Amino acid sequence: MYTLGINAAFHDSSACIVKDGQLLAAAEEERFTHIKHGKRPIPFSTYELPFHAIHYCLQVAGIHLNDVDRIAYSFDPQLLIPKDHKQEEYITLPFYPTAETKSKEWISEWDPLFLSAILNATGQLADGYPHHLQKKFKGSRAEPEKWRFVQHHVAHAASAFLASPFESAAVLTLDGRGEIATTSYHVGNGSDLSRLEQVNLPHSLGLLYERVTSHLGFLHSSDEYKVMALASYGKPTYVDNFRSMIRLLGNGQYEIHNDNLEQHFGPARERNGPFTADHFNIAHSLQKVLEEVAVELTDWFRKESGESNLCMAGGVALNCVMNGRIREAGIFKNIWVQPAAGDAGTALGAALWVDAQERKNEPRNFFMHHAYWGPEYSDDEIEHFLKWTKTPYKKLSNPAAEAADILAQNKIIGWFQGRMEFGPRALGSRSILASPIDASMQAKLNEVKDREDFRPVAPVVLEEDAAEWFEDASVSPFMLFVYRVKADKADKIPAVRHVDGTARIQTINRQQHPLYYDLLKEFKRRTGVPVLVNTSFNTLGKPIVCTPRDAIECFWSSPFDALVIGSFLLEK
């Protein structure tokens, strides 16, 4: 049975294809269209389906859209349609919405438009595809009976639990919002999920973090990770302000008092304006209080669920500093976070959930031990493109060893190998790599990527060496937890040690990505250091590269030294 998963309601549009419980392919739409996050989360964009990501998934499966047995969409519009409107044939929208025109029946005056686009996604998928993708779509039929609208938080929870190594677990979802839920607590057992509690709009830790992101001059629903990075430079000056905004009620519930942020913190920072100590302190205080609340909620959840394993998803679960705090609290024995924890991962969760429901008596047979589910390109395809574009290149006999030689010279390389990662982290398939030994490398990489000076860079480390270089480090293949750099190693890898002494690590073993692993081994052989700087292969405001064309365009328009793409080397 083929199940196509689609996320398109808000942002990070994505698609995946699952066959009889096994994931075959998954990708975000942004990688194909070069539009960051695929689209902005506004009602007018809801009709935009991730056609390029869907086309890629159908290609991998070797099927036409008509061959798909079930289509799982990670949002259930019925939860937001008032009872009195369920049988109506028309929607009403004000030309110029105001507080006076807003109906009490809707969360937003634009909800009818937003929900109409979702309800009509069946027809849009059948005939709204771009002309150049018609091979997998032409002749498609709008078949509503194949569609399953999955609750957004069920999709998040399923993406974490049904892809995890656990047979049973507590499953925590923290995000901005789903249909109504903003935080949910499920217990997973086998292939089932049961919900214990949920927190509903307008109370949302994710939306509070978004509001502060905007206040600090960043783009909400996009730049929250920058606030997390900024927090390391601040002091807890405003923790009492944030504590006054969040009221814990017990039983996993909380209330958010959406105070005017300017009354608490003064005028909002202008985008691209200078940073002051206050900006650092606001970010630090928000991060600290988020961590406090997350620990309180997980402590209640552990006692209520009786589970020793925790799975996490939702955009807030991408906050690796918060995840590290939960881990250090020791509340749960094991924690597994979905690598595509944001909305992109709901395509996977919706597909896995529908597949599990349709094949009720079949045991689970999938564990997501890596994130390499996107497009890949053979050496023949890469070389054909290099020749066609008249790009000078050199064929490598041992890419790992020869790339390690370049890195040992303190040069920066683009690394394009194998299947692209699914989720927001570059994990060694579409990465920019460098040596961590020179302390100035962080600043160099931020200049290369044309991004803010305060942004840290992260290390990849050989799995077997992780505990020797980072305190209490365990297997962490997805860069979703921070660990403290060991004191006796801090001077050896200063480029990846953040100002607070921590680093967001990726561990790698040979089974996950053989060539990437071999590169680390070769670098260790030359330097004694089993660590490299790994940052995403993109520049400011651009998605991570997907194709050889993307990689070569980024390389020639950015000041780094070399590109190792498949078995080929490009140098400046």
Side-chain angles (χ1 to χ4, degrees):
M1 184 180 85
Y2 288 103
T3 304
L4 175 67
I6 298 174
N7 165 57
F10 296 122
H11 49 78
D12 294 307
S13 308
S14 60
C16 77
I17 191 81
V18 169
K19 181 182 181 183
D20 297 331
Q22 289 284 339
L23 178 61
L24 302 181
E28 294 100 315
E29 184 73 355
E30 67 168 19
R31 308 297 171 84
F32 304 94
T33 63
H34 303 153
I35 299 170
K36 190 77 169 172
H37 301 296
K39 58 190 181 72
R40 292 299 294 157
I42 57 175
F44 309 100
S45 69
T46 311
Y47 76 93
E48 296 180 38
L49 295 177
F51 283 110
H52 296 82
I54 293 169
H55 184 267
Y56 158 69
C57 290
L58 296 174
Q59 278 186 315
V60 171
I63 60 175
H64 185 275
L65 181 59
N66 286 337
D67 299 320
V68 171
D69 298 287
R70 293 289 181 268
I71 299 170
Y73 189 103
S74 61
F75 194 92
D76 186 356
Q78 296 296 334
L79 294 180
L80 286 177
I81 301 175
K83 290 182 179 179
D84 293 344
H85 291 267
K86 287 187 184 289
Q87 303 305 318
E88 290 184 2
E89 297 183 13
Y90 302 95
I91 63 173
T92 302
L93 295 171
F95 276 116
Y96 302 103
T98 64
E100 289 71 31
T101 62
K102 183 177 179 296
S103 169
K104 293 179 181 178
E105 296 171 301
W106 302 104
I107 294 175
S108 164
E109 57 268 38
W110 296 115
D111 273 356
L113 176 63
F114 172 75
L115 298 173
S116 175
I118 296 175
L119 288 167
N120 285 281
T122 53
Q124 174 71 354
L125 180 61
D127 61 19
Y129 52 87
H131 185 70
H132 67 286
L133 301 180
Q134 62 179 295
K135 184 176 180 181
K136 294 297 181 184
F137 293 94
K138 189 174 182 180
S140 300
R141 301 179 295 272
E143 299 174 288
E145 66 275 7
K146 287 187 175 183
W147 280 69
R148 301 290 185 272
F149 290 108
V150 178
Q151 289 186 38
H152 192 71
H153 270 230
V154 170
H156 268 310
S159 78
F161 175 62
L162 296 181
S164 79
F166 308 135
E167 272 299 309
S168 67
V171 189
L172 173 63
T173 296
L174 289 165
D175 70 356
R177 61 162 292 189
E179 300 86 359
I180 300 169
T182 65
T183 300
S184 62
Y185 309 89
H186 289 83
V187 173
N189 201 305
S191 296
D192 288 328
L193 288 166
S194 57
R195 187 171 296 185
L196 292 183
E197 281 288 347
Q198 70 180 46
V199 179
N200 293 334
L201 288 169
H203 308 293
S204 169
L205 292 169
L207 290 182
L208 174 60
Y209 212 98
E210 283 190 11
R211 289 181 63 220
V212 178
T213 298
S214 295
H215 183 83
L216 290 173
F218 300 117
L219 182 63
H220 74 84
S221 301
S222 175
D223 292 344
E224 283 72 21
Y225 64 97
K226 295 182 183 181
V227 176
M228 181 183 70
L230 201 68
S232 297
Y233 294 85
K235 298 177 181 178
T237 308
Y238 295 108
V239 290
D240 288 340
N241 299 71
F242 284 111
R243 286 169 182 158
S244 72
M245 296 182 202
I246 305 171
R247 182 185 173 203
L248 290 167
L249 304 176
N251 295 322
Q253 298 292 312
Y254 60 83
E255 289 180 350
I256 302 289
H257 301 282
N258 287 311
D259 299 352
N260 184 309
L261 296 183
E262 293 199 357
Q263 291 180 357
H264 281 273
F265 311 120
R269 171 181 169 264
E270 292 289 331
R271 184 163 182 81
N272 297 321
F275 287 103
T276 68
D278 257 4
H279 298 138
F280 298 142
N281 296 341
I282 292 166
H284 181 93
S285 302
L286 170 67
Q287 179 66 34
K288 184 175 178 63
V289 174
L290 171 68
E291 293 167 23
E292 291 175 356
V293 171
V295 168
E296 288 286 333
L297 296 179
T298 51
D299 185 54
W300 168 83
F301 195 16
R302 168 73 178 87
K303 294 168 184 173
E304 186 70 16
S305 68
E307 297 289 337
S308 60
N309 302 316
L310 175 66
C311 297
M312 294 175 63
V316 180
L318 290 171
N319 191 305
C320 58
V321 181
M322 178 194 77
N323 296 345
R325 176 77 181 277
I326 294 171
R327 183 198 71 241
E328 289 171 359
I331 297 167
F332 284 89
K333 183 178 179 181
N334 303 299
I335 304 175
W336 194 86
V337 184
Q338 166 56 237
D343 276 7
T346 63
L348 171 62
L352 290 175
W353 178 247
V354 168
D355 174 88
Q357 297 305 296
E358 295 286 335
R359 301 184 314 110
K360 201 72 173 175
N361 298 321
E362 299 292 327
R364 283 168 56 193
N365 58 359
F366 173 66
F367 163 45
M368 195 173 178
H369 65 91
H370 66 76
Y372 310 113
W373 301 103
E376 64 180 330
Y377 298 87
S378 67
D379 273 356
D380 286 345
E381 290 173 301
I382 293 169
E383 188 167 28
H384 174 78
F385 183 77
L386 291 170
K387 287 179 176 178
W388 182 70
T389 56
K390 298 183 171 66
T391 301
Y393 65 92
K394 172 186 173 184
K395 180 74 181 286
L396 302 177
S397 58
N398 188 336
E402 291 172 86
D405 286 338
I406 296 170
L407 291 166
Q409 297 170 41
N410 210 34
K411 292 183 178 181
I412 298 168
I413 69 168
W415 180 255
F416 184 103
Q417 305 291 341
R419 296 188 72 174
M420 182 180 69
E421 302 90 341
F422 179 53
R425 310 282 194 238
L427 299 170
S429 282
R430 305 290 187 272
S431 291
I432 295 174
L433 303 175
S435 168
I437 299 169
D438 181 355
S440 68
M441 186 56 74
Q442 178 203 355
K444 288 180 183 177
L445 283 165
N446 282 338
E447 181 185 0
V448 163
K449 297 186 66 173
D450 190 29
R451 65 182 198 175
E452 299 90 347
D453 293 342
F454 65 83
R455 300 272 295 278
V457 290
V460 55
V461 58
L462 292 170
E463 185 179 291
E464 62 267 29
D465 291 330
E468 184 182 340
W469 289 75
F470 303 93
E471 290 182 11
D472 302 317
S474 56
V475 175
S476 185
F478 303 129
M479 279 192 177
L480 287 168
F481 294 90
V482 295
Y483 293 86
R484 190 162 295 280
V485 180
K486 284 200 166 182
D488 63 333
K489 298 293 192 294
D491 291 340
K492 296 181 179 181
I493 51 172
V496 295
R497 183 176 179 269
H498 204 16
V499 292
D500 60 1
T502 64
R504 184 188 70 195
I505 74 169
Q506 176 198 3
T507 61
I508 187 70
N509 62 46
R510 202 167 196 284
Q511 182 184 3
Q512 291 161 338
H513 198 314
L515 191 61
Y516 189 38
Y517 176 85
D518 289 347
L519 173 61
L520 266 291
K521 292 285 280 188
E522 293 288 350
F523 186 77
K524 179 184 178 182
R525 199 168 286 134
R526 285 154 178 77
T527 64
V529 175
V531 178
L532 283 172
V533 180
N534 170 25
T535 186
S536 55
F537 197 159
N538 65 332
T539 53
L540 185 65
K542 303 288 186 182
I544 295 172
V545 300
C546 175
T547 66
R549 178 186 290 275
D550 297 340
I552 292 165
E553 287 179 350
C554 184
F555 170 66
W556 285 113
S557 59
S558 306
F560 51 102
D561 302 297
L563 169 60
V564 181
I565 178 168
S567 296
F568 307 100
L569 171 66
L570 281 64
E571 287 187 289
K572 292 176 182 171

